[in-house]
Amino acid sequence: MPEFDAYLMVDWSASSSRVSGVNSVWYCQVDRTGGRLSVQEPENPRTRHQAVDKIREVLREHVRKRQTTLVGFDFPYGYPAGFAKALGLTDTPAWISIWREIAGRIVDHDDNSNNRFEVAADFNRRVSGSCYPFWGCPSTRASATMSCTKGGSGLLAEKRITDIGNMQPIWKLFGNGCVGSQALLGIPYLAALRNDAVLAPVSRVWPFETGLGALPGRPMRDYLIVHAEIYPSLLPIQPTEWEVKDAVQVRTMAAHFAALDDTGELSRLFAGPAVLTAEDRERIEREEGWTLGVLSGQQVQPRLALQPPHVQPSAPWTVTETPPHRGGSGRTTEPQRFRNQHSD
């Protein structure tokens, strides 16, 4: 029996204005009903608030029907080990203290304007008193603790163990592949979904709350929703000239995980690579997190061919106790050997 009834994949955006199309939020869902898979048309809300409001309602409906759902956002769920300590956070585990700190500081308005550069600059002040570890901003946001280009170096690793190939570092906030801004603006929403009054009792964040291990079978789980970090560029795609790349990526990834689930291969992805040491696994579960599907430094061929021939596109998502503040108004890769060497 497949582990999930639905697969909801989200391509996030750090845009500071309302936007649609390229470089905006896209999400797509594949549903399984009566053994049949249905690929929904990708949705493209213009703001992060709109996106998460819609995703919340989708997840609540799945919970009402007691359906299991895999939810994936394409930003890092954790930071390189040692970041919480560097910030002076003492709550354990470290990932929760970081999520709470970010959620308590980020203000994201209804029009997508936000204070991410100011928050990152203050984090730099607390960590180093200079432009480290976060970097990258418009010239108008530069300050004594935030630089437009990469600043100095320090004890924190540039990347996490899971970050492969040309994945951008989470400290980068501006320019191509500014995954750092996506994380700062995404974690508060992810925390709000995880702790939604309806969803919280049946939600878990992998691998922080489930452990880095093969997913238990349905009868062994007391939760319906699994949140897992994804990396759409792990799967090569070939969008047509009239398709938006982000839309194709979330559709491809949702269908890919559904296909793996049909063949019983999805559960093992939750265990991560076998080459990880016990120390690596503790670090991943405590603070850094892992990207679902990363088992090596190579791209993975989509398993769309494994879908049943009847799959057709059809017509028209406690860590913190409060949702993100609201006001009135990506990553790239190339094949590369898996990086298992790292520094604290």
Side-chain angles (χ1 to χ4, degrees), residues 196-234:
D196 175 80
V198 175
L199 306 177
V202 292
S203 298
R204 300 292 184 274
V205 180
W206 172 83
F208 298 135
E209 297 181 290
T210 64
L212 189 64
L215 196 69
R218 288 194 189 209
M220 303 293 293
R221 304 201 300 263
D222 60 354
Y223 49 90
L224 299 173
I225 297 171
V226 176
H227 290 282
E229 174 187 329
I230 62 169
Y231 180 39
S233 293
L234 191 66

Side-chain angles (χ1 to χ4, degrees), residues 29-40:
Q29 180 173 260
V30 171
D31 295 306
R32 177 180 283 105
T33 304
R36 297 172 63 87
L37 292 173
S38 175
V39 182
Q40 305 298 320

Side-chain angles (χ1 to χ4, degrees), residues 111-257:
D111 62 356
N112 272 354
S113 61
N114 59 82
N115 67 338
R116 70 185 187 274
F117 295 114
E118 290 78 8
V119 171
D122 188 60
F123 285 168
N124 281 349
R125 177 191 61 80
R126 291 163 58 180
V127 171
S128 68
S130 64
C131 300
Y132 171 86
F134 291 98
W135 59 274
C137 68
S139 59
T140 55
R141 302 293 189 92
S143 67
T145 55
M146 178 53 61
S147 61
C148 299
T149 57
K150 189 174 181 180
S153 60
L155 297 178
L156 296 172
E158 181 80 355
K159 296 183 178 182
R160 303 170 300 162
I161 306 173
T162 189
D163 296 331
I164 62 172
N166 277 356
M167 280 186 178
Q168 298 289 338
I170 196 170
W171 313 119
K172 181 180 178 180
L173 302 178
F174 195 63
N176 184 42
C178 55
V179 67
S181 283
Q182 292 179 351
L184 285 177
L185 294 175
I187 285 174
Y189 289 103
L190 179 57
L193 283 177
R194 167 62 183 86
N195 295 292
D196 175 80
V198 175
L199 306 177
V202 292
S203 298
R204 300 292 184 274
V205 180
W206 172 83
F208 298 135
E209 297 181 290
T210 64
L212 189 64
L215 196 69
R218 288 194 189 209
M220 303 293 293
R221 304 201 300 263
D222 60 354
Y223 49 90
L224 299 173
I225 297 171
V226 176
H227 290 282
E229 174 187 329
I230 62 169
Y231 180 39
S233 293
L234 191 66
L235 305 176
I237 61 168
Q238 293 183 328
T240 62
E241 60 181 351
W242 61 84
E243 291 180 306
V244 175
K245 177 183 176 182
D246 300 334
V248 177
Q249 284 186 316
V250 290
R251 185 183 67 216
T252 301
M253 181 139 280
H256 173 73
F257 286 139

Side-chain angles (χ1 to χ4, degrees), residues 21-341:
V22 179
N23 296 325
S24 61
V25 177
W26 287 87
Y27 69 88
C28 183
Q29 180 173 260
V30 171
D31 295 306
R32 177 180 283 105
T33 304
R36 297 172 63 87
L37 292 173
S38 175
V39 182
Q40 305 298 320
E41 285 294 321
E43 299 283 348
N44 185 211
R46 298 188 66 201
T47 69
R48 288 177 288 275
H49 281 294
Q50 292 173 359
V52 174
D53 285 347
K54 292 181 178 181
I55 290 169
R56 181 184 294 108
E57 291 308 311
V58 170
L59 295 181
R60 285 180 172 180
E61 180 64 13
H62 287 318
V63 170
R64 187 185 68 81
K65 296 178 180 178
R66 304 302 296 175
Q67 294 174 328
T68 55
T69 309
L70 174 64
V71 186
F73 283 78
D74 75 330
F75 54 78
Y77 289 7
Y79 284 77
F83 181 49
K85 182 179 180 180
L87 278 177
L89 304 177
T90 58
D91 291 346
T92 56
W95 71 273
I96 287 184
S97 66
I98 292 172
W99 279 32
R100 285 176 173 162
E101 186 71 14
I102 293 174
R105 299 292 307 280
I106 287 291
V107 178
D108 193 17
H109 295 277
D110 289 340
D111 62 356
N112 272 354
S113 61
N114 59 82
N115 67 338
R116 70 185 187 274
F117 295 114
E118 290 78 8
V119 171
D122 188 60
F123 285 168
N124 281 349
R125 177 191 61 80
R126 291 163 58 180
V127 171
S128 68
S130 64
C131 300
Y132 171 86
F134 291 98
W135 59 274
C137 68
S139 59
T140 55
R141 302 293 189 92
S143 67
T145 55
M146 178 53 61
S147 61
C148 299
T149 57
K150 189 174 181 180
S153 60
L155 297 178
L156 296 172
E158 181 80 355
K159 296 183 178 182
R160 303 170 300 162
I161 306 173
T162 189
D163 296 331
I164 62 172
N166 277 356
M167 280 186 178
Q168 298 289 338
I170 196 170
W171 313 119
K172 181 180 178 180
L173 302 178
F174 195 63
N176 184 42
C178 55
V179 67
S181 283
Q182 292 179 351
L184 285 177
L185 294 175
I187 285 174
Y189 289 103
L190 179 57
L193 283 177
R194 167 62 183 86
N195 295 292
D196 175 80
V198 175
L199 306 177
V202 292
S203 298
R204 300 292 184 274
V205 180
W206 172 83
F208 298 135
E209 297 181 290
T210 64
L212 189 64
L215 196 69
R218 288 194 189 209
M220 303 293 293
R221 304 201 300 263
D222 60 354
Y223 49 90
L224 299 173
I225 297 171
V226 176
H227 290 282
E229 174 187 329
I230 62 169
Y231 180 39
S233 293
L234 191 66
L235 305 176
I237 61 168
Q238 293 183 328
T240 62
E241 60 181 351
W242 61 84
E243 291 180 306
V244 175
K245 177 183 176 182
D246 300 334
V248 177
Q249 284 186 316
V250 290
R251 185 183 67 216
T252 301
M253 181 139 280
H256 173 73
F257 286 139
L260 288 177
D261 206 5
D262 274 343
T263 60
E265 299 175 76
L266 179 60
S267 176
R268 69 179 181 87
L269 295 185
F270 290 88
V275 297
L276 294 173
T277 66
E279 291 76 15
D280 288 335
R281 291 180 177 275
E282 181 183 1
R283 174 175 172 173
I284 290 162
E285 293 174 353
R286 182 185 69 246
E287 190 163 5
E288 292 198 350
W290 196 260
T291 308
L292 188 63
V294 170
L295 298 178
S296 70
Q298 305 295 320
Q299 285 187 318
V300 177
Q301 289 302 314
R303 298 296 292 271
L304 307 183
L306 293 181
Q307 294 179 36
H310 55 254
V311 175
Q312 296 293 334
S314 62
W317 136 230
T318 83
V319 177
T320 181
E321 290 71 34
T322 58
H325 300 289
R326 60 196 302 174
S329 47
R331 295 182 287 184
T332 58
T333 189
E334 64 183 12
Q336 180 174 316
R337 192 174 70 171
F338 177 69
R339 182 181 63 87
N340 193 38
Q341 299 299 319

